[in-house]
Each structure stands twice: as C-alpha cells, then as structure tokens.
Amino acid sequence: MTRHTEETAEAERIGHWLAEHDHFAQRLGIRLEQAGPGACRASMPVRAALLNGFGMTHGAATFALADFAFAVASNSRGRQAVGLATTMHYTAPSAEGDTLVAIATEQSLGGGTGVYQVEVRRGDGTVVGLFTGTAYRRREPFFQGKSENEKVVE
C-alpha cells in the first residue's frame, strides 16, 4: 500500500468513526460522503424540523453541517484536533427539500494548528454558507484511548 493510499484509508477510518459517534450529526441527518487527508464531503437533507420561523434552514443547522465536515477534515491526519475558532457567513437561503453539501478543505497545516475552509452548497450549486475553522492539533493519536472495538468501522 502506498503512503497516499494509507493516509486516505486512515482518513476514511477516522471519518467513519466520527460519523458513527457524533450523535448530534446523526440526529440532524448528516451523512459522511467522503473523507481524505485534510478533506471531507458531507451532506444533510433539509427537513421541516431544521427550519427557522421564516421557513428557511436554521443557521445553526447549516453551521452544524459545516462544523461536522471541519471535524472530519481536521482530525483526518491521525492526530486529535479540536476547534479553536470558527466563523460562518451565510450567503443565500436554503429550504425544506434542499440537500446541503459541505466540502471542507485544508488551507494550512502546521505542527500545532490547522486552518480549514468549508463551503456549504444547495443541490443547485448555490453557496449558502462559508465557514472557516482553526483547529488545535493535539499530540495524541486520534485513536488513543479508544477501545479496539471502537476503532473498527467500515
């Protein structure tokens, strides 16, 4: 197995573990579509329970999707990472029946921090949110302290 393939396989294992253990993301209907080193693609169908009083997707739901993609991307390189700071700009509305897709990409990676950009789009390609997150990368390996059974995800 090449280094690139090993890194991708590790990122996928981490992404699937996070998807299986993030109960809030599950409750919102967030689905992991793809994980790679420093990257993630996740989606969420917008249903009535996710709407605000104006009939648009609640900003917190859009943020949660972006934050999940940020979590997968920032942890994907095998070290535990936690958010230090985030910003979210809402650029267009979405509504019930839309499927939102978040694509996270690593912008900068250092020994202690990483910066990630997440675009959230509607199915028609319209950007509805731009998220930037800075993660603190702990020294501990991602799976440290997790039981062997917790590590095995497909």
Side-chain angles (χ1 to χ4, degrees):
M1 197 180 276
T2 67
R3 179 182 167 110
H4 176 73
T5 304
E6 290 172 3
E7 289 174 350
T8 299
E10 178 73 355
E12 289 172 351
R13 278 191 297 278
I14 290 167
H16 287 293
W17 190 94
L18 287 167
E20 286 184 15
H21 292 84
D22 188 330
H23 301 291
F24 184 64
Q26 291 172 10
R27 185 101 171 176
L28 293 175
I30 294 173
R31 292 185 305 263
L32 174 66
E33 293 185 2
Q34 186 176 17
C40 175
R41 179 183 170 103
S43 64
M44 179 182 69
V46 179
R47 57 188 196 282
L50 301 180
L51 302 180
N52 63 21
F54 296 108
M56 297 181 286
T57 308
H58 197 291
T62 305
F63 181 92
L65 173 61
D67 188 59
F68 175 80
F70 165 56
V72 172
S74 64
N75 279 280
S76 67
R77 295 192 181 273
R79 282 176 52 187
Q80 294 176 17
V82 294
L84 286 176
T86 62
T87 59
M88 182 80 177
H89 298 273
Y90 300 94
T91 56
S94 59
E96 185 174 5
D98 286 333
T99 296
L100 301 182
V101 175
I103 299 175
T105 55
E106 194 170 69
Q107 302 299 304
S108 173
L109 182 65
T113 61
V115 177
Y116 300 81
Q117 176 93 31
V118 184
E119 286 189 359
V120 181
R121 295 179 179 267
R122 293 190 311 229
D124 67 2
T126 301
V127 175
V128 300
L130 294 171
F131 173 107
T132 302
T134 301
Y136 173 69
R137 301 178 69 231
R138 300 175 58 174
R139 294 177 193 260
E140 294 83 6
F142 180 82
F143 286 112
Q144 181 175 317
K146 295 169 179 60
S147 76
E148 196 62 34
N149 289 337
E150 288 180 307
K151 292 183 194 179
V152 180
V153 290
E154 296 300 323

